[in-house]
Each structure stands twice: as structure tokens, then as C-alpha cells.
Amino acid sequence: MRHKFTALAFLAVLFGIFVLSLVKAPDEFSASERRRLSQFPALTGASLLDGSFMRDFEGYAVDQAPFRESWRRCKAVFDMGILRRLDNNGVFISDGMAYKIDYPLNEASVQRLCGIINTLRERYLEGAGSVWYTVVPDKNAYLRDSGRLVMDYAEIESLVRDALGGEITCIDIGGDLSRESYYLTDPHWRQEELFPVARRLAGAMNFPPPDPDAYREERFDAYYGAYYGQSALNIEPDEMVWLVSQATARATVTSAEQPGRVFPVYDKSQLTSVDPYSLYLCGPAAIVRAVRAAPAATGQATGQESGRRLIILRDSFASALAPLLMDGFDEIVLIDLRYVSPDTLAGAVDFDGADVLFLYSAGFYNNCESVRGFAGSP
Amino acid sequence: MVFSTYPFLFYFLPVFLALYYILPKKARNAVLLLASLLFYYIGEQGYALLLLFSSVLDYTAGRIIEKHRGSRRAKAALFASIFCNLLLLGFFKYSGFVVENLNALFGLSIPPLAIDLPLGISFYTFQTMSYTLDVYKGNVRVQRNLPNFMVYVTMFPQLVAGPIVRYRDVADKLDDRRHTWEGFATGATRFVVGLGKKLLLADTLGQLGAAAQGAAERSVLSCWLVVVSYMLQVYFDFSGYSDMAIGLGRIIGFSFPENFNYPFIAKSVSEFWRRWHISMGSWFRDYVYIPLGGNRVSPLKWARNIAVVWCITGLWHGAAWNFVLWGLYFGVFLVLEKLFLHKFMQKAPSALQRAYTLVVLVVSFVIFRFENVADIAGHLQGMAGLASLPAADRETLYYLRSYGPVLLIAALGATPVLRDLVGRLRSHRRAVAAIDALTPVFTVTLLLLAAAYCVDGSFSPFLYFRF
């Protein structure tokens, strides 16, 4: 009897999952993992013969597994709860916040990005206005749990200071941030927590600091950050907040990759995309221009024009910060060297007279493989 | 195709089992053969022809041997079978190694052949060679039914990573086998245990080994962690696969030989090899060592026999010099044990005997893991504290804390403690009832957990596939 029961239970699981896998309609997208899911591969003679059909089928079967999210959560809970692993896929939760291990310090990567910045300064910034840099601390730097594997972030800042400090002015924003400045499920900072940083930049760069009272908050309550899917753990999604002012409401945004199209500063259609953080200033894009416009009713100058332009060479952290700087500049240009070669910038961006800010996160300095270098350089 | 993947577990296996058990008994071998060929084709495509060729070749050789028993034709058929199998194995597995060494020795620049190793070739060529040898010696009756013989060669549960099933182990069951609920249930539990060993332990230990190996700073601790996690990973990976193969075999009425018997509790190297990859060890013993004369020859010839067998054993594991060194390393210890060490060690306490064996094994796994002699020496120096390394580093300590419980579970699982405990409990009637009630719960829970790991994890082939 017991053998029959074991055999039938085994078969029930095999056939149950098999049948569910067959009848379940395929999903196109995983919100928690922020990626498109594999679809049934094309069945052709060639794909059968070269084995690609079965390779693709394996990806499809796993991606479209019924209760996929529950499986992944079950594995994560078993790993961390029973096997007492300290992280799952490199992601761990501490005080309700998800962190990702970024270890060890990759000095070569830091030096490479600093080298690109220095070359860029030498080639393009001769006629520019003032030039600053700031290193956005990783949220791991504010981790209170001492038993974790955390990189020496002070060492990264020290390396950057040694490489850039002689020529470019540093703006230290480390003291203006805290653990609460970051999303629970994502590595990025929260825009609504960035007024201290914006004030610090305003003081250093000499422009009027943003007035929090001039902004109203808009919200999206189901923001699944990048670490949410990677951790597969049962944590609440974040609430995403964006700050709207007269300046951000009137500003127009263009992206070099989509010529002719004009975007708002906050593109709400992105909230349902793979990466809702793309809400801010077109998200990951090569060259983005945000221009502070005159009031629509008059089309006349307001008298608030600063006559100043700001060029930010940046990673994704700048997208949420830049809207808070719009009171100080008529135009802000965001350049992401992951998507545009620095060799082509001369014809695409006018650096003359513009203020320039290099804004990269510590994690970006440590993992800058995706940044395009100058031709002939590493 | 790999057992520990979602498509195998939840597409291939249920469809196979449904067809196997629903169709008439007469059709079961046909279902098994077709499923096995599909299983192999999915992973290897064109190399499935090689498998068919090998089957037909050895089937034909067996028939010729039977028909012309005692004549030169029988000997020629045996020779042709052995030659062709070794040629296939040599070409696909060792040609790159030979070319590389010829180039290095004579300064040549022969381009290496761009060929992939057909999955399981080391296993199925050994199986078919054992068949023709056994038929020639008259140890087994010839198989006259080609499809039945092909079932033996291609049977998917043990096709790609063993155990090396000899024809005599399954001959009767190819023609007629019993299918019982007990066989199915114990097979299913064994299969799931193997799946758990692979997905929950071996793969996790593999991550630990990779993390410790990739640590920014080397330390004595990181060197030890690399090797210990690798030892346990290889054990759980390979014994897990063997469990799955044996379990699947039982589900369909076969009884494959055991391949592992808690090797890390061995008190000597010779005992270790009676507990580790048993089917391979006994194959080399029966088809190489004993035909060479075994130990019933002069001491010099005996040393030669040991050297030959362990050199081949090393090469069987991989076409690289570290594997040859690994095999010979064991050969040396086996000779020493036979000469005096075993007698000497037997007087020592059991714990000391086990410690001696484990130390020998730890060094052997360093040789097994690192291809180049400088790396092997460097790692051993690091472990011995002779490489000016710190005792521990922060990163490795983190990995040790994070993977510590898995390491402990694995270390415990590599001993028969749990098995013995269950055995002792079975002497109590109430405990038997509880164990019987919990077995299906355990089987299903572990299967569901394995499914969770399949869905979350990326592709991870079995380590022994490369052999």
C-alpha cells in the first residue's frame, strides 16, 4: 500500500506539472524579474537538426513554468531559511531592504572610468564652464549589518579623488544621503529624498536650490525594483514618487535615439515597461536634452532664465536627480557613455560655456565594463 | 538532455512513463529504445548515429563470435569490436590531446581537431566492449535480438554517465522483467534523492567552490574551501546521477549495480576504490588488471599492471596529464598499501586510518581539479600554509558562513549516519509506520524542491558528462 502511495504521489506531481505546463497560456513578461519571457521556439527542420530547438525549448519551459514566481520564492526561502544562506543570487535582505553584493573592489574598472573622464575633459572641456564630479554612494555603504560582504566604498572615492581631484572639483554628497534615500527593492535612490543632494550641488555649483514646497508628489505604488526579482523573496514592492514642479511640467525632453519625438520629464507610460525607473527623463538613453520652456500661454521669456546649461555625464542615478536641478539651468543634457561613444560627442553636444558634472555611482565605477571608451583606448 | 532540468522532469519523463506503462508489455522495449534515442538526439544530434553504429557493431561482433566460437573468426570479430570501440574513443576523446603533445614535443603546428566529445562515449563504449569480451569468454549468452541489444546500449537512464552496466547485469531483464509498485516506489524515491543531491547539494557546493576560487585574496582557508567543496561536489554530483540512473532503472523494472558506497569513510585508498565509482573500478579490474595477470605475477610485473591500470583509469577521466598523474598517484598508494602501509595502518585507530585516507584524497582532488602542475603545486602549498598566505580572508569567511550549513549537511550526507539511523529506527514497529508514512511525503517534497531549483537555476550539466 505504502509503495503504491509513494508511486502515485510521484506520478501525480510529474503529470500534474506536465498538464499545467501544457494548458497554461504563455506569459509575455515577468514584472518582478523585469524581463520578457521566452516564447515557444520556432520548430523547423534546421532547428531540430542543429539542436537549437531543444536549447530554446528549455528556456521556454523554465520561463513559462506554472507558478514560476512561487517556485523561485520557494527556492529562495529554502536557501535562506533552511540552508541559512546569507544571500540568494547575491541579493540579501537586511532590515526589510534588498541589497546586492558588489565585491571586491575592481581597481582596474575605477581607473578605466577615471581615464575616460580625464580624456574627455582634455578633449572637449577646454571651453566649458566649471567642471565637477560627484560619486553617488552605493546603498550598501549605509548598511547597518556588519556581517555582510561590503566593499570599501571610501577606497573607491579615494581612488577617484586621486585620479580626478587635481583637475575636477569634487562635490561630496555622502553626508546628504542615508539608507532611507534608496528604494527597498532597487539600487537607485528615491527622488523625493534628493533635496539635500540638490541643495549640496546648488551650493557648490552656484545655482538657486530647489524649494520643496514648489513640488507636488505623484505616486506609483507597485514598483518592483531590480533586486525584487533577483532575490525572489517575499518583500513588498516599493512606492515610486516623482516630483512635479512648474519647471518640470513645462520642460520638453528629447532623446537623440528618437529624433523628432518630444517627451515629458516624467513619461508615465514607462511605469508598465520592463524598467519603471525609465519614467525619469527617458531612462537609459545615449543623449537626452531637457529644455526649460517658456509658459505655454505666452511663449514669452519669464525672466527666470539663467542663461546656463548643464551637461551631466552620468549613469542611471542622474535621471531622478536632474529634474530637481531644472530651476538652475535653461537646458540640461544627460550623456550616458554606455550608449554613445565618447569619440562622437564633439559633433553631438556643444560643451562650450556649459557647466559639466560627472555623476556616477560607486557601483558604476566598480563595474564600468559597459562604458564605451575612446577609440584605441581600453 | 540532463535529468536535472525542467523539460526532462516535467515533459520527457511523464510522457515516457505514460507510453511505457499504457502500451502493451510487448511494446515496452520499443518505447524504451525510441525514448533513449530521442533522449540522446536531443542533446547530441548527429552523434546519435555513432551510438547506433556502436550498437550494431557490437551486436554483429557478438553474433559472429557465437557462430564461429573457438575459431580465428571469433577472435577477429572480438578484435574488430575492441579496435573499433577504442578507435572511436581515441578519436573523439584523445585526438586533441595527442595533437597537442605532438606539437609540443616536436615543435609541430598540427591544427587541433574541432570535435566535441560525444556525451557518454566513455560509458557506452566500455559497456559494449564488456559485452563482446564476455560473449567471447562464454560468460554471457549472445543477444540475438538487435532491438533488445540496442536497448541495452542506449538505455537513457544510464547512457550518459553510468553506472557502467554490464550486459550480464541486465541480460535477463531485457527479455522479461517484472514491474511492481515496490520497484516503482523505491525507484522514484531513489531518483528524487539523486535529484536532490545534484540540485540542492552538488550545484550549491559548486557555487561555493567557484566563489572561494574567485576570492579577491587567497588564503589558506580559501585553498581548503576550494578543494573540500570540490570533493563533495564531485561526490554528490556523480553519486546523485548514479542514484537517478538506478532509480529510473527500478521504475522500469531494471536493477542496475550500485556505484557508490560512502567512499569518504574508507580507511584506506584501496577501500576507497571499492566504494567510489564501483562499476568503473570493477570494469578495469575484470577486463584489464586480471587479464594482465593481476597480482599473481612477479613483483615487477605486478607493479607494471598497477601502473597500466591506473594510467588508463586516469586517462579515462580526461585527456590531460593531470588525470594521468592523478591515476598514477593512486597507483602508488595502492602499491604502498599492498606492500606495508595497510598492515601498518591497520594497527592504528580507525579515526587515524580515515584521516590518512582523507588526506590522500584531498591531495588527489587537487590534482584532479587543476590541469597544470604549477597550479597543483601552488594550491597544495597554499593549503599547507607554505605560500605566505594569510590564514583566512574576509571574503572566504563570508562564504564559509553563508555555505557552512550546506557544507555540514553535505559532510553528514557523505557518511552512512542517516542511513544507519533509519535502519536502527526500523527495528521499532511504530517508527516503521512513521517512516512508511513519511516516505511519500519526503519523496514529493524533495521533488517539488528540486523543481523549484530547476526553475530558479541556470543550466548546470553533470560533472561526469565530460568523461
Side-chain angles (χ1 to χ4, degrees):
Chain A
M1 187 62 191
R2 67 188 167 98
H3 292 311
K4 199 181 259 189
F5 194 66
T6 303
L8 290 174
F10 175 76
L11 287 170
V13 173
L14 289 192
F15 282 94
I17 296 177
F18 171 60
V19 171
L20 284 173
S21 300
L22 287 184
V23 300
K24 177 186 162 285
D27 296 319
E28 282 201 4
F29 179 73
S30 165
S32 69
E33 292 170 83
R34 309 169 75 181
R35 68 179 181 90
R36 304 214 166 275
L37 298 172
S38 303
Q39 300 300 306
F40 193 83
L43 180 59
T44 63
S47 69
L48 267 178
L49 284 173
D50 66 14
S52 61
F53 173 79
M54 269 320 293
R55 280 195 296 277
D56 295 343
F57 179 78
E58 179 160 343
Y60 160 80
V62 171
D63 269 9
Q64 301 295 345
F67 315 118
R68 179 179 162 73
E69 292 293 308
S70 305
W71 289 124
R72 295 188 64 240
R73 186 160 298 162
C74 169
K75 186 257 180 184
V77 168
F78 183 79
D79 254 7
M80 297 184 78
I82 308 289
L83 298 181
R84 311 303 297 165
R85 289 284 311 282
L86 297 179
D87 60 84
N88 183 43
N89 300 326
V91 178
F92 61 90
I93 312 289
S94 178
D95 286 342
M97 181 174 265
Y99 299 85
K100 183 158 193 168
I101 296 172
D102 184 12
Y103 193 92
L105 194 155
N106 182 351
E107 193 174 335
S109 171
V110 177
Q111 297 297 358
R112 177 174 178 261
L113 185 54
C114 289
I116 292 170
I117 291 172
N118 276 328
T119 309
L120 217 142
R121 179 183 55 74
E122 287 162 16
R123 285 202 194 171
Y124 298 137
L125 305 188
E126 193 77 9
S130 302
V131 184
W132 299 274
Y133 80 87
T134 187
V135 179
V136 179
D138 193 285
K139 71 176 179 178
N140 285 18
Y142 300 98
L143 184 64
R144 289 194 282 257
D145 185 348
S146 60
R148 304 290 177 171
L149 199 53
V150 177
M151 193 171 27
D152 184 355
Y153 288 100
E155 179 64 16
I156 285 199
E157 287 175 21
S158 165
L159 287 170
V160 176
R161 194 165 46 245
D162 290 348
L164 306 180
E167 303 292 339
I168 308 177
T169 309
C170 172
I171 305 175
D172 185 357
I173 59 172
D176 301 310
L177 295 163
S178 68
R179 177 184 175 280
E180 285 68 33
S181 307
Y182 297 84
Y183 286 106
L184 296 174
T185 64
D186 197 78
H188 290 110
W189 53 16
R190 295 171 175 275
Q191 191 185 40
E192 71 273 24
E193 298 291 334
L194 295 184
F195 283 110
V197 171
R199 274 196 291 272
R200 174 80 55 194
L201 296 181
M205 296 164 74
N206 193 27
F207 65 86
D211 174 11
D213 293 336
Y215 292 84
R216 65 183 162 80
E217 294 186 347
E218 292 192 19
R219 294 163 191 279
F220 173 60
D221 60 2
Y223 174 47
Y224 295 94
Y227 295 162
Y228 181 89
Q230 287 173 41
S231 78
L233 287 164
N234 196 13
I235 45 175
E236 291 297 312
D238 276 293
E239 181 183 56
M240 180 185 266
V241 175
W242 56 99
L243 302 169
V244 182
S245 69
Q246 279 197 350
T248 63
R250 288 176 189 158
T252 55
V253 178
T254 54
S255 168
E257 284 148 310
Q258 298 180 69
R261 285 192 66 185
V262 177
F263 300 89
V265 169
Y266 303 114
D267 182 0
K268 292 178 201 170
S269 68
Q270 294 294 335
L271 292 173
T272 52
S273 70
V274 173
D275 182 8
Y277 206 73
S278 300
L279 165 92
Y280 301 105
L281 290 172
C282 290
I287 302 173
V288 173
R289 288 172 204 276
V291 179
R292 199 169 61 172
T298 64
Q300 300 296 311
T302 60
Q304 293 173 349
E305 288 78 9
S306 63
R308 292 177 70 180
R309 292 189 304 122
L310 174 65
I311 295 170
I312 307 179
L313 288 115
R314 56 85 179 227
D315 60 15
S316 51
F317 280 79
S319 298
L321 175 67
L324 302 186
L325 312 182
M326 296 194 79
D327 286 332
F329 300 91
D330 294 342
E331 181 187 57
I332 297 178
V333 180
L334 305 174
I335 301 171
D336 193 329
L337 294 177
R338 286 173 295 184
Y339 309 110
V340 59
S341 161
D343 289 308
T344 63
L345 286 180
V349 180
D350 178 13
F351 288 97
D352 279 350
D355 291 328
V356 176
L357 172 66
F358 291 94
L359 187 145
Y360 292 107
S361 61
F364 195 83
Y365 274 102
N366 204 47
N367 304 281
C368 76
E369 303 81 8
S370 55
V371 170
R372 299 191 192 178
F374 285 95
S377 66
Chain B
M1 202 176 216
V2 179
F3 293 163
S4 57
T5 57
Y6 193 89
F8 177 82
L9 290 172
F10 301 115
Y11 285 87
F12 185 93
L13 193 54
V15 172
F16 164 72
L17 289 176
L19 292 173
Y20 186 84
Y21 278 104
I22 289 169
L23 289 175
K25 203 174 170 186
K26 279 191 294 187
R28 283 179 182 168
N29 273 2
V31 171
L32 181 54
L33 177 59
L34 290 175
S36 299
L37 291 174
L38 177 67
F39 177 88
Y40 198 76
Y41 180 81
I42 284 169
E44 294 296 283
Q45 292 86 49
Y47 283 154
L49 291 174
L50 204 64
L51 185 64
L52 288 175
F53 169 75
S54 187
S55 306
V56 173
L57 169 80
D58 293 293
Y59 169 80
T60 311
R63 294 297 302 270
I64 293 171
I65 290 167
E66 184 207 29
K67 193 173 175 186
H68 302 284
R69 187 167 294 284
S71 74
R72 289 174 64 184
R73 280 191 183 175
K75 204 172 236 176
L78 174 69
F79 176 78
S81 163
I82 304 284
F83 178 78
C84 288
N85 278 306
L86 290 179
L87 190 68
L88 283 181
L89 194 59
F91 177 74
F92 284 102
K93 191 164 178 175
Y94 302 105
S95 56
F97 179 62
V98 171
V99 165
E100 190 185 310
N101 283 287
L102 284 176
N103 285 344
L105 267 176
F106 302 110
L108 304 172
S109 49
I110 306 167
L113 298 168
I115 42 173
D116 295 327
L117 182 68
L119 212 58
I121 192 168
S122 306
F123 291 91
Y124 70 73
T125 50
F126 270 46
Q127 292 194 175
T128 52
M129 277 194 291
S130 76
Y131 167 75
T132 44
L133 280 163
D134 281 349
V135 169
Y136 182 80
K137 287 183 197 164
N139 292 340
V140 294
R141 275 181 300 152
V142 76
Q143 175 58 260
R144 289 156 194 260
N145 183 319
L146 177 61
N148 277 7
F149 183 74
M150 287 169 78
V151 167
Y152 160 64
V153 179
T154 65
M155 206 182 326
F156 77 86
Q158 48 79 59
L159 172 63
V160 290
I164 300 172
V165 178
R166 297 199 209 170
Y167 180 73
R168 72 177 91 148
D169 295 329
V170 293
D172 294 342
K173 298 202 167 168
L174 286 170
D175 298 324
D176 184 31
R177 54 188 177 273
R178 282 184 66 221
H179 299 87
T180 62
W181 284 110
E182 183 182 357
F184 195 110
T186 55
T189 302
R190 184 74 182 264
F191 174 78
V192 171
V193 166
L195 199 59
K197 278 183 174 179
K198 162 69 181 162
L199 288 169
L200 274 64
L201 293 178
D203 286 356
T204 308
L205 290 162
Q207 291 167 19
L208 169 60
Q213 177 83 40
E217 191 186 354
R218 278 179 80 215
S219 65
V220 175
L221 178 67
S222 73
C223 291
W224 274 96
L225 210 51
V226 166
V227 179
V228 171
S229 60
Y230 185 60
M231 275 173 81
L232 290 167
Q233 182 200 359
V234 173
Y235 169 67
F236 282 106
D237 192 283
F238 193 19
S239 73
Y241 190 94
S242 293
D243 286 338
M244 284 186 258
I246 291 166
L248 284 172
R250 275 191 208 161
I251 286 175
I252 55 175
F254 285 95
S255 176
F256 298 152
E258 290 295 335
N259 216 16
F260 289 87
N261 183 21
Y262 302 103
F264 293 136
I265 63 160
K267 292 179 187 171
S268 65
V269 173
S270 46
E271 186 189 349
F272 170 79
W273 277 105
R274 290 194 296 275
R275 292 172 173 271
W276 175 279
H277 203 174
I278 299 164
S279 63
M280 183 206 67
S282 60
W283 197 99
F284 278 117
R285 182 194 64 214
D286 294 347
Y287 298 106
V288 182
Y289 182 66
I290 290 174
L292 283 173
N295 56 4
R296 295 178 179 177
V297 287
S298 67
L300 206 62
K301 278 190 177 168
W302 172 64
R304 177 208 64 185
N305 295 348
I306 291 276
V308 168
V309 167
W310 288 94
C311 190
I312 299 174
T313 302
L315 275 173
W316 183 89
H317 282 83
W321 284 112
N322 67 308
F323 290 114
V324 178
L325 184 63
W326 176 79
L328 292 174
Y329 168 83
F330 277 119
V332 167
F333 277 96
L334 290 167
V335 169
L336 291 177
E337 283 185 2
K338 192 88 177 172
L339 290 177
F340 70 93
L341 204 52
H342 187 58
K343 272 186 190 164
F344 175 75
M345 288 303 294
Q346 266 186 325
K347 292 173 192 160
S350 289
L352 198 63
Q353 293 180 48
R354 292 202 169 102
Y356 144 75
T357 311
L358 280 175
V359 169
V360 174
L361 293 179
V362 164
V363 175
S364 81
F365 274 93
V366 174
I367 302 170
F368 197 81
R369 182 178 171 112
F370 296 97
E371 274 197 22
N372 120 10
V373 175
D375 289 344
I376 293 169
H379 202 86
L380 288 172
Q381 279 181 336
M383 289 170 72
L386 302 173
S388 307
L389 298 176
D393 63 285
R394 194 163 154 253
E395 192 178 351
T396 309
L397 283 171
Y398 172 83
Y399 297 138
L400 190 60
R401 283 199 304 122
S402 186
Y403 290 91
V406 177
L407 266 179
L408 279 178
I409 292 169
L412 198 69
T415 70
V417 169
L418 204 63
R419 181 199 65 183
D420 294 347
L421 183 69
V422 173
R424 271 204 289 277
L425 286 174
R426 280 200 173 276
S427 60
H428 303 282
R429 207 172 353 135
R430 277 189 191 165
V432 170
I435 291 168
D436 288 350
L438 286 175
T439 301
V441 177
F442 167 78
T443 304
V444 166
T445 306
L446 199 53
L447 179 59
L448 291 174
L449 208 50
Y453 272 69
C454 279
V455 171
D456 188 74
S458 51
F459 174 75
S460 162
F462 289 89
L463 289 180
Y464 258 68
F465 275 10
R466 68 189 170 115
F467 309 131

